[in-house]
Amino acid sequence: MRDKLLALAALQKVDLDIAALQKNAEAYPREIAELEKQLAQARAAVDAERTRLEELDKQKVNLEHTITDDKDKVRKWEARLTEQRSTREYSALAREIDIAKKGQQTMAEEVVELGKQATLQREAVKQKDADFQVKAKDLVEKVDQLKGKLKDVQAQIAGIDGARTEAAKQVDSGLLKRYDTIRKKRLPALVAAVAPGTCTGCRMNIRPQLYNQLVASRGLDVCPSCSRMVYAAEALEAATPK
Ligand SMILES: [Zn+2]
C-alpha cells in the first residue's frame, strides 16, 4: 500500500507543478493586457495634445484666410468710394470700410494670439511625446518580457504532459480514478493527516479511530470534512528508508 501511496504522491507533485504553471499561463496574458492598456492610454493622451495643436493651427489659417478675403472686399469698397455721388452714400460706405478695418485689426490680434498658443502647444506636444517615448519603451520591454515568460510556461506545460503520463502509469488504476475525480474539484486531492488527527487539507479534525487506522494500515481513506484522500503522515515517514 505504501508504494501505491508514494506513486500517487509523485503523480500529485506533477499535477501541482502543472497547476502552478497554468496559474502563470493565465496570469501573464492579464498582465500583458493591462500594460498594453496603459500604453494605449499614454498614446491617446499625446494624440489628444497633438489634435489640440492641429486645431490651433487650423483656426489660425482659417482666420488668415478670412482677413485676406475681407481685405479684398474693402479694397473693392474703397474703389467704389470715389464713385459715390451723394455725401450720405459716401459717408455710409466710408463707415462700413472703417468698421471692416477695425474687424480686421481684431482678427489680426487673434491670429497673433493663436500663433502664441500654437507655439506653446507645439512645445507641450514635443515634451509629452518625449515622455511618452520613454514610457512606451519601458512598457514594450515589460510586455516583451512577459510574452517570453508566457512562451516558456506554455512550453513547460507541453513538456510536463509526458511526465504526467509516466507518473500516472505508476499509480494503481482504482486509486488513479478516485484521485482524478477529486483533483478536478480540489487540488491537492491527496493530503496528509497529522497526529492526533487533523486533515492538512481542510484543517478539520478526523476521528481518532480513523487516524489510528490510517497509521496502522499505512493506507488511504477519505476525510469526512473535505472528501480528499487522506493518509497518515507519520505512517509514511516512519517507513521511509534511510
Ligand atoms: Zn479534510
Side-chain angles (χ1 to χ4, degrees):
M1 192 59 209
R2 187 173 167 273
D3 288 344
K4 287 183 180 177
L5 192 53
L6 287 174
L8 188 56
L11 173 63
Q12 175 158 276
K13 196 183 170 305
V14 177
D15 281 335
L16 289 171
D17 287 346
I18 292 173
L21 289 170
Q22 275 169 345
K23 207 175 156 193
N24 283 334
E26 284 162 17
Y28 290 145
R30 277 200 301 273
E31 287 174 38
I32 289 168
E34 175 54 35
L35 292 174
E36 281 175 342
K37 196 172 118 194
Q38 285 178 25
L39 186 61
Q41 280 170 346
R43 185 178 285 122
V46 178
D47 285 347
E49 295 294 340
R50 199 171 278 122
T51 302
R52 165 109 179 93
L53 173 61
E54 283 164 7
E55 277 165 6
L56 285 170
D57 283 340
K58 208 161 81 187
Q59 275 179 38
K60 186 166 167 274
V61 168
N62 285 344
L63 205 52
E64 281 166 348
H65 283 154
T66 306
I67 293 171
T68 306
D69 292 348
D70 207 67
K71 279 184 175 165
D72 284 347
K73 183 185 76 184
V74 168
R75 254 193 296 279
K76 280 173 198 154
W77 285 356
E78 281 172 337
R80 267 164 54 196
L81 200 58
T82 53
E83 299 161 7
Q84 299 307 311
R85 303 269 158 83
S86 77
T87 318
R88 220 176 106 197
E89 284 168 349
Y90 183 94
S91 51
L93 187 56
R95 206 171 66 230
E96 287 297 319
I97 290 169
D98 195 39
I99 290 167
K101 281 186 172 172
K102 275 179 184 150
Q104 286 170 19
Q105 183 57 37
T106 308
M107 285 191 281
E109 281 161 15
E110 276 179 51
V111 166
V112 172
E113 182 53 36
L114 285 170
K116 279 183 193 164
Q117 284 180 27
T119 302
L120 288 175
Q121 186 62 16
R122 216 177 304 281
E123 268 312 303
V125 167
K126 218 171 118 186
Q127 185 58 51
K128 286 191 168 140
D129 192 49
D131 292 347
F132 168 72
Q133 297 301 337
V134 173
K135 194 175 180 182
K137 191 168 171 278
D138 179 50
L139 286 172
V140 167
E141 269 172 21
K142 281 181 182 161
V143 166
D144 285 347
Q145 275 175 13
L146 285 172
K147 281 183 178 167
K149 282 184 182 175
L150 178 60
K151 228 175 132 186
D152 285 350
V153 159
Q154 282 165 342
Q156 283 177 52
I157 289 171
I160 215 166
D161 274 350
R164 211 267 165 192
T165 308
E166 276 311 304
K169 270 187 203 162
Q170 311 302 317
V171 179
D172 173 84
S173 63
L175 279 183
L176 182 61
K177 221 168 164 180
R178 275 167 61 197
Y179 166 79
D180 275 340
T181 306
I182 300 168
R183 153 178 94 86
K184 278 164 194 150
K185 292 178 223 153
R186 44 184 81 89
L187 194 71
L190 173 71
V191 294
V194 290
T198 305
C199 167
T200 57
C202 64
R203 300 272 147 207
M204 299 296 281
N205 290 334
I206 57 176
R207 282 177 291 112
Q209 302 97 295
L210 177 56
Y211 183 74
N212 292 336
Q213 200 183 308
L214 286 173
V215 174
S217 68
R218 293 182 192 166
L220 280 165
D221 213 311
V222 174
C223 168
S225 301
C226 67
S227 307
R228 287 184 172 93
M229 297 166 93
V230 68
Y231 64 90
E234 66 180 281
L236 203 64
E237 280 156 16
T240 302
K242 291 274 151 98

